[in-house]
Amino acid sequence: MTLTLPICLLPLVALPVLVGADPASDARAALLSGVTEIVAPGAIPGDLAVTGADAFVVLTARMGRARLPMVAAARYGKGRAVAVGHEGFLGGQSLRNAGNARLAANAARWAAGKASGALRVGLLNGDSAPVRPVLEAAGCAVSTVRPADLPGALGGIDLLWLNQAGLDGANLSRTDAVRQWVQRGGGVVVSGPAWGWQMLNPSLDLTRDQTGNRIVAPMGVAFSNAMLDATSPAGYAVAGDTPDAAHAGRALEALRAHADGRAALTGQGLEQVTTTLGQAVGALGGTRPDFTRKVEALCADRGGNAVPTRAAPIAADQVFARLKAVLDLQKLRRLPAEQVRAHPAAASFPGPVPAEARRETRTVAIDTRRPEWHGLGLYAAPGEVITITLPAAAAGRGLALRIGAHTDTLWHLARWQRFPEVTTSRTLDAPVTKVASAFGGTLFIVVPERCKLGSVNVTVGGAVASPRYVRGETDPAEWRSRIRSAPGPWAEMEGRLVIITVPSASVRDLDDPEALMAYWDEVMERCYELYAAPRRNRPERFCVDRQISAGYMHSGYPIMTGDDVAKAFCDVKLLRGRNAPIWGYYHEMGHNFQRPEWTWEAWGETTNNLFSMYGADRINATPIGAHPAMGPDAIEERVKVVSAAPGASAYYARDPWYPLTMLDLIRQEFGWEPYRKLFTEFGGLPQSARPRTEAQKQDQFLTRLSRILGRDLSGYFSQWGVKNGEAARKQVADLPAWLPASWPVK
């Protein structure tokens, strides 16, 4: 159940201490000339860390109550660079917005250092090809540059336009050559959300391996991994933006003045400084040690406590404690495994390992035909070295070791109840790899998609056993006599289609793991059944956590939820009961299976809930009322509202319960089979026939479902405010019109 925060229209808080006048004001004005707002529909921009004296913030976006740079620029020697937190601002439909097109043209001109005249732009790999006509209209001669053409092609252009990953994996000399070319007078525009890059490259280092950072981080601008929110109803507004507060160098000066008593920071100003510096230090890694050392020196001996707990969380205004957490993590990432020690916060979460627990060596066969996480039934104690040995032929083939299932990071939250980042991952590039985590965690071998190594024997040394049940493999008697008592603090219960990660305390008294995992496998079977989805080649996952990154639960791999439901996850009698508290579990699994073809813009929290209702009906014998908002009385009240003024409002786009009622009334009369047939139809469409626009989605939903039912639903849809096109209505006009039997007005 994802929590959506309202858009904050408050202006960015200006810091009380600045380093003289802003030397970048003219440059910023040039970049934003003619720009009032930029948009990127459907895109979530990433942030940038701006630290350099010759670097400046151009435009910010929200993270919580604070703002972070979303567009930044820098002078570097004789050259210039512009960095943008999402390529969607510079391509596709966004360029139809005058502000986006103007920003693209301004960025090219400013970065190349040519306000007018001929300008030669090279698009690396043809990246952002839609921007070509915008640049050409601005007087640029645009060509395509291939990585293999570098560095030679740089002599024939003034500006290189590229994606954040444009030279990933290429010979590093090419990336270095681009940066050196900028220093001699060239220009670059580079864009992309670093959080997306990190998701696609979980085992790589953002500061070391990403093209964008290798080029611009030495210039005082670094791509960071936060997800940013809009600042205006349509997108990101220039008016009201005060970018100085998002410049980490200026934030450091403001914090120093605060610490010295020269200019106190309070409330949102303190939160802004904390957020700006925390993200900057985290993004820079070891690329700007001078800046990091200044932050460390300021935080030293100021009572920073980086041990958040449920009883004593760390709040956003505890600036030194929060910065200490960032600094701690950065230090840990740079240490060799043998030097890592347990972090004090590990004792609170994920939890300690008994000192007397036996450290063991175990060899496990990994079937690499199945991608993603493979549990081992082993746990890494905080601060202890784990040794991974695999065949030489498997080294460097994409396999990785993951320590910890709790992948949610909490840096953006106003209060931390646990350390904000507790897991680590390491690629297995050598036959023997040593890894340690200061927080410890469940051990997994991670297999990439389309791996062709077959079965690989992996030997793990230095870990302790943790409870793990595998349906169809683990002997239930052995589970009861030995496995459930294993000392690791977190357990894995693995079905054929679903895996759940819970505190070991939740399964210590579980006598029938087979019945439990049969339930969870049935949940998944039913999900595949309703959505007519092709079988995935790996199980879905649920993971219990003390605190998660968003909402009460959220979808993903794993689906995350709070630890208040840990026991409920393992109580099969409760889970199978009529009116069981299962709505959220089914809701998030539904999110994992939503398809854009049949999910309208307003239905992001609706079509997933079809599975909440289907699962409750088929598994829990609760066809109506599995959620209080979908009880008979609540449904009747919505029907009264709609039927009293049919079509007067877009009822289908109100809170999720209105469209869910709209769909459920069809289900109540015709059953679930029409929806299964509908999803089957959509799934079988060739790419060219799939609806893309909102109007196409609504029209195809109407025509396909009407034909399946043998009823004309256009009048019913119209009552809910759906404005289907005339062509779609004509396609079903030969069918008998339909309204629910219980509809008040015929």
Side-chain angles (χ1 to χ4, degrees):
M1 301 176 184
T2 304
L3 175 65
T4 301
L5 297 174
I7 291 175
C8 176
L9 299 178
L10 294 175
L12 185 61
V13 173
L15 299 183
V17 176
L18 299 177
V19 188
D22 181 7
S25 58
D26 290 344
R28 181 173 181 267
L31 283 161
L32 294 178
S33 175
V35 180
T36 57
E37 182 181 54
I38 62 173
V39 301
I44 301 175
D47 67 317
L48 301 158
V50 182
T51 57
D54 293 322
F56 57 96
V57 181
V58 178
L59 191 63
T60 70
R62 287 191 309 115
M63 190 173 88
R65 294 203 308 164
R67 296 277 191 93
L68 289 174
M70 183 183 72
V71 181
R75 292 181 174 88
Y76 186 59
K78 296 180 179 180
R80 300 175 179 183
V82 175
V84 182
H86 201 292
E87 67 275 11
F89 290 112
L90 304 175
Q93 295 184 357
S94 298
L95 292 173
R96 297 176 183 174
N97 177 57
N100 292 67
R102 189 63 182 268
L103 177 64
N106 292 348
R109 285 285 174 190
W110 185 87
K114 291 189 175 184
S116 61
L119 175 59
R120 301 166 300 172
V121 179
L123 302 181
L124 185 68
N125 292 320
D127 285 350
S128 298
V131 82
R132 179 187 289 265
V134 172
L135 296 178
E136 290 175 340
C140 303
V142 184
S143 61
T144 296
V145 175
R146 300 174 303 166
D149 298 332
L150 299 176
L154 296 173
I157 60 175
D158 304 300
L159 175 74
L160 183 65
W161 193 287
L162 70 160
N163 181 273
Q164 62 177 350
L167 290 172
D168 284 5
N171 190 311
L172 294 182
S173 64
R174 289 176 177 154
T175 312
D176 294 340
V178 171
R179 187 181 65 255
Q180 292 160 7
W181 171 72
V182 173
Q183 196 168 26
R184 294 192 302 270
V188 294
V189 174
V190 56
S191 61
W195 64 262
W197 184 93
Q198 196 70 79
M199 288 180 66
L200 295 173
N201 302 279
S203 301
L204 299 182
D205 184 275
L206 179 61
T207 59
R208 183 186 64 238
D209 299 318
Q210 188 214 46
T211 292
N213 271 337
R214 287 193 63 84
I215 293 174
V216 302
M219 305 177 190
V221 176
F223 286 85
S224 185
N225 59 5
M227 296 182 180
L228 302 182
D229 295 317
T231 61
S232 65
Y236 306 83
V238 173
D241 199 10
T242 311
D244 280 347
H247 190 293
R250 295 173 182 266
L252 179 58
E253 291 303 316
L255 183 58
R256 182 176 288 117
H258 171 78
D260 294 344
R262 291 182 283 118
L265 290 165
T266 58
Q268 195 176 347
L270 191 59
E271 188 174 336
Q272 176 66 48
V273 164
T274 306
T275 304
T276 299
L277 287 176
Q279 281 298 119
V281 172
L284 293 170
T287 61
R288 291 295 301 275
D290 55 333
F291 182 83
T292 301
R293 281 195 293 270
K294 290 177 183 178
V295 178
E296 288 175 336
L298 187 58
C299 292
D301 302 321
R302 296 190 186 275
N305 174 15
V307 185
T309 66
R310 196 192 305 274
I314 293 179
D317 61 356
Q318 293 174 257
V319 57
F320 296 111
R322 289 176 83 100
L323 288 177
K324 186 175 187 302
V326 179
L327 292 165
D328 283 355
L329 190 63
Q330 289 302 314
K331 287 180 181 177
L332 289 167
R333 284 175 171 167
R334 295 195 293 269
L335 289 176
E338 293 81 0
Q339 296 180 25
V340 173
R341 300 292 179 265
H343 193 281
S348 173
F349 190 92
V353 170
E356 69 278 7
R358 184 172 69 90
R359 275 56 175 172
E360 63 178 75
T361 297
R362 183 183 299 181
T363 299
V364 181
I366 303 297
D367 182 359
T368 65
R369 292 174 301 177
R370 194 191 93 188
E372 298 288 4
W373 304 1
H374 289 246
L376 305 173
L378 294 170
Y379 196 91
E384 296 189 13
V385 175
I386 302 298
T387 303
I388 308 295
T389 306
L390 70 164
R397 300 287 296 278
L399 300 180
L401 175 73
R402 162 164 288 285
I403 302 180
H406 303 97
T407 56
D408 272 18
T409 59
L410 315 179
W411 300 105
H412 62 292
L413 298 183
R415 296 171 71 82
W416 301 338
Q417 296 181 27
R418 64 159 172 84
F419 197 88
E421 189 168 343
V422 295
T423 70
T424 189
S425 181
R426 180 73 57 81
T427 54
L428 302 176
D429 294 326
V432 178
T433 305
K434 295 182 182 295
V435 188
S437 165
F439 301 94
T442 306
L443 292 174
F444 305 92
I445 297 297
V446 184
V447 177
E449 290 282 354
R450 295 179 292 277
C451 184
K452 298 180 179 180
L453 290 172
S455 181
V456 176
N457 286 332
V458 177
T459 300
V460 182
V464 302
S466 59
R468 179 176 181 243
Y469 178 84
V470 181
R471 189 179 182 205
E473 295 182 17
T474 305
D475 180 356
E478 190 176 8
W479 164 263
R480 289 187 290 270
S481 65
R482 180 182 63 84
I483 297 174
R484 66 180 175 181
S485 301
W490 287 84
E492 288 263 301
M493 308 300 295
E494 186 168 333
R496 297 183 178 94
L497 300 174
V498 174
I499 303 172
I500 62 174
T501 301
V502 293
S504 295
S506 303
V507 299
R508 298 292 191 205
D509 58 356
L510 176 62
D511 291 327
D512 193 352
E514 173 62 24
L516 174 67
M517 297 319 298
Y519 160 79
W520 283 109
D521 279 348
E522 184 181 351
V523 170
M524 198 67 251
E525 290 278 9
R526 295 294 188 179
C527 195
Y528 279 121
E529 183 178 86
L530 172 65
Y531 291 124
R535 290 299 180 99
R536 296 175 178 175
N537 55 358
R538 47 88 167 150
E540 298 297 303
R541 282 184 171 272
F542 286 90
C543 182
V544 167
D545 198 336
R546 175 181 292 175
Q547 185 179 14
I548 64 175
S549 60
Y552 179 71
M553 295 183 182
H554 71 72
S555 58
Y557 183 90
I559 293 170
M560 298 299 300
T561 185
D563 58 7
D564 57 320
V565 301
K567 288 296 288 184
F569 258 78
C570 304
D571 186 341
V572 69
K573 184 176 180 181
L574 173 68
L575 292 169
R576 284 199 177 277
R578 186 177 176 84
N579 299 316
I582 43 68
W583 185 275
Y585 310 151
Y586 299 167
H587 170 106
E588 301 302 347
M589 191 61 78
H591 271 311
N592 276 9
F593 280 78
Q594 280 177 309
R595 296 290 305 161
E597 293 85 2
W598 39 260
T599 298
W600 303 357
E601 287 179 2
W603 286 10
E605 297 296 330
T606 297
T607 51
N608 61 312
N609 273 330
L610 285 175
F611 181 61
S612 298
M613 299 181 68
Y614 186 76
D617 184 4
R618 292 294 191 257
I619 301 172
N620 302 95
T622 310
I624 296 177
H627 191 286
M630 289 304 291
D633 292 342
I635 290 174
E636 184 179 357
E637 284 303 310
R638 290 185 205 102
V639 170
K640 285 181 180 178
V641 171
V642 175
S643 61
S649 173
Y651 303 108
Y652 75 92
R654 286 194 180 184
D655 68 66
W657 308 114
Y658 270 83
L660 192 59
T661 297
M662 171 185 164
L663 297 176
D664 188 51
L665 291 177
I666 298 172
R667 189 273 310 179
Q668 288 186 33
E669 192 156 329
F670 295 97
W672 287 108
E673 187 60 25
Y675 285 117
R676 289 198 292 267
K677 289 182 178 179
L678 179 68
F679 297 140
T680 300
E681 271 195 25
F682 273 114
L685 291 176
Q687 199 68 36
S688 59
R690 294 182 181 181
R692 290 176 174 80
T693 68
E694 185 72 354
Q696 289 172 350
K697 292 177 184 181
Q698 293 180 359
D699 284 353
Q700 284 204 27
F701 203 99
L702 168 69
T703 57
R704 294 182 187 282
L705 188 56
S706 291
R707 286 294 173 190
I708 289 168
L709 294 174
R711 302 290 190 277
D712 177 1
L713 296 177
S714 61
Y716 178 63
F717 277 29
S718 178
Q719 300 248 337
W720 289 89
V722 183
K723 299 186 183 301
N724 290 114
E726 183 179 355
R729 295 195 302 273
K730 284 183 177 179
Q731 287 183 49
V732 298
D734 60 316
L735 301 173
W738 179 84
L739 286 175
S742 58
W743 203 253
V745 180
K746 298 293 184 179

